Amino acid sequence: MQTGLRRLHYFQQLASDLNFRQAAVKLGITQPALSRAINLLEDDVGTRLLERDNREVRLTLAGESFLRGCERVMSALDGAVSQACKVADGQAGQLTVGYTDTAISGLLPDFIRCLRIALPEVTLHLKQAYSQQQKEWLDDGKLDIAFMTGPSESDNHASLDFQHDRFIVILPVEHPAAKIRSLNLEHLAEYPFVMGDPIHWQVYNAHFLRLCQAVGFTPDIVQSAPDSRGIVGMVACGMGISVQTESLGKQGDPRITFRRLNGVTDRVVTQAVWNTRFSQPVRDKTIQHLKAWMVDSDAV
């Protein structure tokens, strides 16, 4: 069947007007050209779609059925064109977002809620991963944007500071140091520590180790856990204390308590990171919204 969209469009207009002259004027073609197009259409379909004589033009039963099909086709085409334009503009599509425990315990949920309102036709996929894993996924094209502990040092990555976290002390409620409202790091030197496992938490642990060495001690790490929930659980068990980011202080557990850490001006920076080698409209639109959201909310 050789019939194209142009003939379908001509047929729809003629079916609406039921007058060759009027339809031809609206279509911007001559009446003979319209007649030829309809004849070719009927040849392709294999049946008469219109009855015409000197007095009137009317649809046959087959023509009425064909018109309904044309309307569905044109509606589907309009929808496909509209959707394609939205995808090209970043208003629709799929976005895969990586996050760390620190990000999801901090500002990320607030931004994601706003993003879902701003881009309702974007399907979001959120994937928890350590910072190093997120870097690898970015390079492999498995993530569109990563919220991870910075700094990102790859030449292929662009980044934006998203969240700055102070340090807090996590202790069992019955711990002797829990009686003190705020603690200095050197006061914790005598206690055993629970930290993230050395493979996946190497960036954070190295940062923490430098802070301890700056005040004259090396922490006695007696237990490690793969994630913040495990760290908090081990502290609750009484295995040791921990120093983590303040966003984790939002976790409610009656068996633990949190204390400010005095004398430490360093911050743990969570960055939004993306790979500049890959072009993705919905990711670029997300970054636009992220920048505007951070200004509006004074996030950093």
Side-chain angles (χ1 to χ4, degrees):
M1 184 173 178
Q2 300 300 315
T3 291
L5 293 173
R6 178 173 55 85
R7 291 180 191 165
L8 298 183
H9 177 56
Y10 289 177
F11 173 72
Q12 279 188 297
Q13 187 63 58
L14 182 57
S16 174
D17 292 334
L18 293 177
N19 184 292
F20 273 86
R21 183 180 58 80
Q22 292 178 10
V25 170
K26 292 178 180 179
L27 293 167
I29 61 175
T30 65
Q31 186 172 331
L34 176 58
S35 295
R36 285 194 300 270
I38 297 301
N39 288 335
L40 289 171
L41 176 61
E42 290 178 323
D43 288 343
D44 281 346
V45 174
T47 188
R48 299 278 296 210
L49 302 176
L50 294 154
E51 295 289 352
R52 53 268 216 195
D53 55 34
N54 292 331
R55 291 179 298 174
E56 63 178 347
V57 177
R58 61 185 179 276
L59 290 169
T60 64
L61 291 177
E64 292 176 356
S65 175
F66 189 73
L67 177 62
R68 291 192 292 270
C70 285
E71 290 170 346
R72 290 193 295 269
V73 168
M74 292 302 189
S75 177
L77 178 61
D78 288 344
V81 170
S82 175
Q83 189 68 9
C85 291
K86 288 179 181 178
V87 169
D89 190 47
Q91 298 288 341
Q94 300 201 26
L95 185 77
T96 304
V97 178
Y99 66 89
T100 61
D101 287 356
T102 299
I104 204 68
S105 298
L107 298 175
L108 185 58
D110 297 329
F111 171 64
I112 293 296
R113 280 197 300 269
C114 292
L115 185 66
R116 293 182 66 196
I117 294 171
L119 300 175
E121 295 187 50
V122 170
T123 300
L124 288 168
H125 302 282
L126 272 65
K127 300 176 67 173
Q128 190 275 341
Y130 304 104
S131 295
Q132 184 58 42
Q133 180 69 74
Q134 290 194 61
K135 291 178 183 178
E136 294 172 7
W137 284 351
L138 282 173
D139 290 336
D140 292 339
K142 296 178 180 178
L143 284 183
D144 297 310
I145 186 168
F147 289 85
M148 63 187 191
T149 303
S152 174
E153 299 174 346
S154 171
D155 292 338
N156 296 324
H157 295 172
S159 63
L160 179 68
D161 285 0
F162 176 71
Q163 175 178 310
H164 290 175
D165 274 283
R166 298 180 179 87
F167 292 90
I168 58 170
V169 187
I170 308 177
L171 313 101
V173 291
E174 70 278 5
H175 195 280
K179 299 175 183 178
I180 306 173
R181 297 308 302 173
S182 60
L183 296 162
N184 292 328
L185 190 57
E186 53 266 34
H187 295 157
L188 307 177
E190 63 183 286
Y191 301 117
F193 279 83
V194 176
M195 300 299 293
D197 74 72
I199 296 176
H200 297 113
W201 288 65
Q202 57 182 329
V203 175
Y204 178 86
N205 288 352
H207 193 166
F208 173 64
L209 180 60
R210 288 194 296 272
L211 294 178
C212 295
Q213 291 173 338
V215 295
F217 78 98
T218 298
D220 179 20
I221 301 175
V222 297
Q223 292 284 340
S224 64
D227 55 32
S228 60
R229 181 176 296 180
I231 292 170
V232 169
M234 288 189 179
V235 172
C237 291
M239 303 300 295
I241 66 173
S242 192
V243 172
Q244 296 295 325
T245 57
E246 61 184 329
S247 59
L248 299 184
K250 298 176 182 178
Q251 298 190 31
D253 188 323
R255 301 167 297 181
I256 60 173
T257 188
F258 304 93
R259 292 293 181 266
R260 293 190 301 272
L261 188 61
N262 288 335
V264 176
T265 59
D266 289 47
R267 299 291 185 267
V268 175
V269 180
T270 296
Q271 293 184 320
V273 184
W274 58 97
N275 194 325
T276 56
R277 291 191 298 116
F278 302 119
S279 178
Q280 220 251 29
V282 71
R283 182 205 64 192
D284 296 340
K285 184 68 70 174
T286 296
I287 293 166
Q288 291 178 18
H289 281 288
L290 176 60
K291 292 177 179 178
W293 179 83
M294 292 179 67
V295 170
D296 291 342
S297 62
D298 194 24
V300 176

